[in-house]
Amino acid sequence: MNAICILLAAALSTGNAEFDKTAIEGAAKITLAKMRAEAQNTPLNDGTLKREMLSDPAKYANRGEAEAATRAVYERELRARYAKDAAAVLERLSGGQRAEDVFGEEFCAGAKDLGDEVAANAVNAQFGGVFYQERAEACAIQATGIVSATRPSEADIETKDEGLLRAEMVERIAGEQGQPVFEENLTYISEHIVGPVIEDGRRERQRQLEFLYQVRSEAYSPVRLAEDLRNALEADVAERRATAEDPSKVWNVFPGVVGGELGAIVERRTVDRLANKISDIQFQVGGEAIAAEIAANPEAHVKTADSERIFADKYGTDILNAAIDHLGAEAPEAERAEIAQYVSERRGNGLVQSALANKLQTDVMPKWRDARNSAAGLFVNKIWPTLADGTWWPGEELADETAFRVDYDQAVADWRNMKGLEDLAAAEAGKPVMEEADQIADRIVRQKFDLGRTALAGQNNAVDAAHDAVLKQITERGQEFFDENPDSAAVQELVKQISEDFWEERREGLIWPDGNLPKNAKDQYRRLFPSVDKRIELVAKAIMDEMKDPNPNTDKSPGEPRLSDYASGDVDEPMTDKSDYSISITRDGDFINVTFKAGKRTLAKNRVPAKKVPFKATMDKITGWLIRSYYKLD
């Protein structure tokens, strides 16, 4: 823009006729139009608004009012800047002559006017950003000069709501500045001057409280202790003021600290001293004394919780009294009566009770538990002597019946209502039996029934061994065996005799592996269980069924069946090495169906009870035929 003006001015100064007044005015209009366009995009950043607001803080204290008032100032300064720049352009174009002489008064006046529309557009586009920036700068400049030594009192810190106290302090400090404070700087005062002071006051109050908790004092009397603590705090505050760089910033003793809080601190320190004495005291209690008290009044000690409460109250009182006596003995003679009465009135204090509970759990209750367990053992010896010495057992019939119950655990746990144990359950009737004694009895009864299950399993294993032993005899003796044992009853007796022999050899080691046998061990679970007798009967019958041979004169050994004995159906295809064999096994209630096929041909079909022995016998027939008759395996 300036280059155009220079060229135009140079042309005029040389008297170039080509540039007459019309040409100059045209050039001026072009230049001024571009200047107006630039004015809309070039904000005033010369600090005009900032200086305006700082020149009259009262007028511009409120931000909203300041924004409205400085808008007109901004437009005025924007117009003035344009008018100044336009006058400079006209002066250059005039070539050293007065612009009014070259362009005329009216042209010059219009050229220097930015225009209402252009001015309005420029203000709308620029003012908001300029005001935001310069308002912040004005506030920052004013804030640097805001100083105050005003502080809230200690009582204000303790008693006034923080919001109210802040508002009061801000108002006082703002009033001390000698001029109105910008609205934003009220927040500055609150956050950067008042806030830190209030926070410092609170920290000092907390420090004074902690000082009173920690400062040493030899006083036992609460009255003397309170006096010592107050004097120590006042001396501490005085020393801090004497050594501070700015004594005016040192807080005084907070009235609430040496007022209501001091009493609580004295109580806490005294109670702490008693609690520590409870923890440190050497308190001896003998298990014999506890056991004797239980024995003297068993009705009161049936339930564990009731007994624990009785002994906790008794020994808790003894421990607390001993701790109070020790504390009084440590105090100066003049203070003993006061400290004893003071702590006695605070027996129920939470800290005292917590220390007492811990002391009871570490020094008393373990011995109480041991004494109760011992007492419970004595109760069992007296009420259920056969449980105590191990001579009781449920017998083969009851143990056998119970072992197969689906609710075994519940049934044994409810043994007092079990049929057959009425006498054992009645032993405790009408007697104050401790809960632990009942638990011991329950445990022993459960152990005895579990031993019954162990015996049952052992007897069944003996029957399995007898089964194998009988089969071995048959194999070795052949027809001679059947001559001596013509029916299943004889085989059954043989199986039973061998089973009993096997069981007797293993009985004591299986039931009492630790070697701790009761005095009637020879009787316990010696007889075979009823279910085992029934199993022996089935095993004997199965053996006879296995060994029967409808053609005894053949060379086939006893117990080695022919496939034709079990085959059914027509033979519609020959058996070859490529025959496809299959075994089908299905469960049908209490029976098992077994079918053996070669392709479509049924070679064997049998329906047997769902028991180990008959099922095993059937499978042995099938596999025996495959091994001996078909595959010719050695």
Side-chain angles (χ1 to χ4, degrees):
M1 192 67 67
N2 287 335
I4 295 174
C5 295
I6 291 171
L7 290 174
L8 291 173
L12 288 173
S13 64
T14 58
N16 192 329
E18 295 180 10
F19 292 94
D20 56 11
K21 180 179 179 181
T22 301
I24 293 173
E25 287 182 357
K29 289 178 180 179
I30 293 171
T31 302
L32 294 172
K34 290 182 177 181
M35 288 175 60
R36 288 188 177 93
E38 288 179 357
Q40 296 184 71
N41 300 315
T42 308
L44 288 173
N45 290 316
D46 58 358
T48 296
L49 301 186
K50 174 175 62 180
R51 291 190 297 273
E52 176 68 20
M53 288 183 282
L54 289 172
S55 68
D56 191 356
K59 180 178 179 181
Y60 299 109
N62 180 271
R63 182 185 179 89
E65 294 176 359
E67 185 172 5
T70 54
R71 188 178 186 88
V73 173
Y74 187 83
E75 181 177 348
R76 183 188 68 210
E77 290 300 315
L78 190 66
R79 285 176 178 273
R81 183 186 69 176
Y82 170 77
K84 180 180 178 181
D85 292 344
V89 169
L90 293 177
E91 183 178 349
R92 289 196 176 197
L93 290 175
S94 297
Q97 303 179 57
R98 287 180 68 249
E100 287 78 1
D101 293 339
V102 176
F103 294 101
E105 295 286 344
E106 183 177 353
F107 182 89
C108 287
K112 295 176 184 179
D113 184 6
L114 181 60
D116 292 343
E117 183 178 354
V118 174
N121 290 339
V123 170
N124 290 337
Q126 303 165 15
F127 175 73
V130 174
F131 175 81
Y132 178 87
Q133 179 64 32
E134 297 199 10
R135 177 69 176 186
E137 293 174 0
C139 289
I141 292 172
Q142 186 188 65
T144 59
I146 298 176
V147 294
S148 176
T150 299
R151 293 161 62 84
S153 69
E154 289 76 13
D156 287 342
I157 294 288
E158 290 183 315
T159 61
K160 288 188 177 180
D161 173 76
E162 182 177 346
L164 176 61
L165 180 58
R166 277 179 179 262
E168 291 179 356
M169 291 294 298
V170 167
E171 184 177 0
R172 288 167 58 187
I173 293 173
E176 295 172 354
Q177 303 310 306
Q179 63 175 1
V181 175
F182 292 142
E183 180 181 6
E184 295 90 330
N185 279 341
L186 297 178
T187 301
Y188 171 84
I189 293 172
S190 175
E191 294 178 354
H192 296 279
I193 298 177
V194 175
V197 171
I198 293 176
E199 185 61 29
D200 184 62
R202 288 181 170 171
R203 283 196 300 269
E204 172 60 14
R205 187 180 190 280
Q206 183 61 32
R207 187 199 71 82
Q208 292 183 13
L209 286 173
E210 293 174 359
F211 177 88
L212 291 178
Y213 275 115
Q214 298 169 5
V215 65
R216 290 181 59 84
S217 173
E218 300 300 324
Y220 280 76
S221 159
V223 174
R224 185 185 161 199
L225 178 60
E227 183 179 353
D228 278 3
L229 297 182
R230 184 184 296 106
N231 292 339
L233 179 58
E234 290 174 351
D236 174 73
V237 170
E239 181 181 356
R240 290 168 66 84
R241 181 173 288 108
T243 57
E245 292 183 6
D246 185 355
S248 67
K249 293 184 178 180
V250 176
W251 296 92
N252 295 315
V253 174
F254 281 76
V257 170
V258 294
E261 300 257 18
L262 182 58
I265 293 171
V266 167
E267 180 176 14
R268 175 61 183 269
R269 287 183 59 140
T270 305
V271 165
D272 279 346
R273 180 176 277 171
L274 176 60
N276 291 335
K277 187 61 62 179
I278 290 172
S279 299
D280 296 340
I281 196 171
Q282 298 298 316
F283 186 80
Q284 300 296 328
V285 56
E288 299 80 3
I290 296 176
E293 185 163 344
I294 292 175
N297 187 14
E299 291 82 0
H301 296 276
V302 168
K303 293 187 178 297
T304 305
D306 293 343
S307 181
E308 182 177 16
R309 187 163 45 251
I310 290 170
F311 282 104
D313 291 345
K314 171 182 172 55
Y315 289 107
T317 300
D318 293 345
I319 292 171
L320 187 52
N321 288 338
I324 292 173
D325 291 344
H326 280 68
L327 188 61
E330 289 180 354
E333 186 173 356
E335 301 179 34
R336 289 177 183 173
E338 183 183 350
I339 185 65
Q341 179 180 354
Y342 188 86
V343 295
S344 293
E345 293 172 351
R346 286 158 179 79
R347 289 171 176 266
N349 181 278
L351 292 174
V352 173
Q353 290 301 310
S354 178
L356 195 56
N358 291 336
K359 188 69 172 178
L360 287 169
Q361 288 303 318
T362 56
D363 288 13
V364 176
M365 302 323 291
K367 295 181 180 179
W368 164 78
R369 278 186 284 271
D370 290 343
R372 275 191 68 86
N373 289 336
S374 297
L378 295 175
F379 269 90
V380 173
N381 290 339
K382 183 177 180 180
I383 298 173
W384 297 288
T386 57
L387 290 182
D389 65 11
T391 57
W392 179 87
W393 57 296
E396 291 87 357
E397 290 77 9
L398 184 57
D400 193 28
E401 176 188 341
T402 306
F404 291 100
R405 291 185 60 163
V406 294
D407 62 340
Y408 174 81
D409 291 335
Q410 180 59 39
V412 174
D414 194 30
W415 63 269
R416 291 172 180 81
N417 295 314
M418 185 181 291
K419 185 179 180 180
L421 299 184
E422 293 84 359
D423 291 344
L424 189 67
E428 64 179 312
K431 299 182 179 67
V433 181
M434 295 169 58
E435 287 180 336
E436 291 89 340
D438 271 334
Q439 292 166 5
I440 293 173
D442 291 346
R443 185 170 63 252
I444 294 174
V445 169
R446 172 61 188 249
Q447 290 171 350
K448 289 295 186 176
F449 273 101
D450 287 347
L451 287 180
R453 275 187 159 184
T454 300
L456 177 59
Q459 290 184 7
N460 281 321
N461 289 337
V463 173
D464 289 340
H467 171 271
D468 295 340
V470 171
L471 286 179
K472 183 178 179 182
Q473 286 189 33
I474 295 173
T475 303
E476 292 174 350
R477 298 174 60 190
Q479 187 60 41
E480 177 187 357
F481 177 88
F482 289 98
D483 293 342
E484 294 179 2
N485 302 281
D487 55 29
S488 63
V491 174
Q492 179 178 336
E493 185 61 30
L494 179 60
V495 173
K496 181 174 183 179
Q497 181 60 50
I498 295 176
S499 297
E500 288 176 341
D501 291 344
F502 273 124
W503 172 236
E504 188 58 31
E505 290 175 5
R506 296 165 175 76
R507 182 174 63 90
E508 292 184 357
L510 181 65
I511 299 178
W512 301 284
D514 59 358
N516 187 19
L517 278 65
K519 60 185 180 182
N520 65 341
K522 63 181 180 62
D523 299 323
Q524 291 193 28
Y525 301 117
R526 181 180 59 81
R527 292 187 296 107
L528 296 181
F529 285 31
S531 65
V532 176
D533 283 335
K534 291 181 180 178
R535 185 161 185 250
I536 290 173
E537 181 181 347
L538 293 174
V539 167
K541 186 176 184 302
I543 290 174
M544 293 298 293
D545 290 342
E546 291 177 41
M547 299 300 109
K548 281 181 180 178
D549 188 346
N551 189 7
N553 296 321
T554 65
D555 293 334
K556 182 176 71 64
S557 299
E560 181 177 334
R562 295 191 302 262
L563 182 64
S564 59
D565 291 343
Y566 309 100
S568 63
D570 297 330
V571 177
D572 53 7
E573 61 181 10
M575 290 187 294
T576 69
D577 289 343
K578 295 182 179 180
S579 294
D580 184 11
Y581 294 99
S582 64
I583 300 173
S584 172
I585 302 171
T586 59
R587 179 73 179 258
D588 183 12
D590 292 333
F591 291 89
I592 296 177
N593 298 317
V594 181
T595 304
F596 176 43
K597 290 185 176 184
K600 297 180 179 180
R601 178 185 175 193
T602 300
L603 302 179
K605 188 174 184 180
N606 205 1
R607 177 178 172 87
V608 298
K611 300 290 184 179
K612 177 180 177 181
V613 172
F615 175 68
K616 182 175 181 298
T618 297
M619 297 304 296
D620 285 346
K621 291 173 185 178
I622 294 172
T623 56
W625 181 86
L626 287 171
I627 291 171
R628 299 185 186 91
S629 301
Y630 186 68
Y631 289 111
K632 309 296 184 182
L633 301 179
D634 293 333

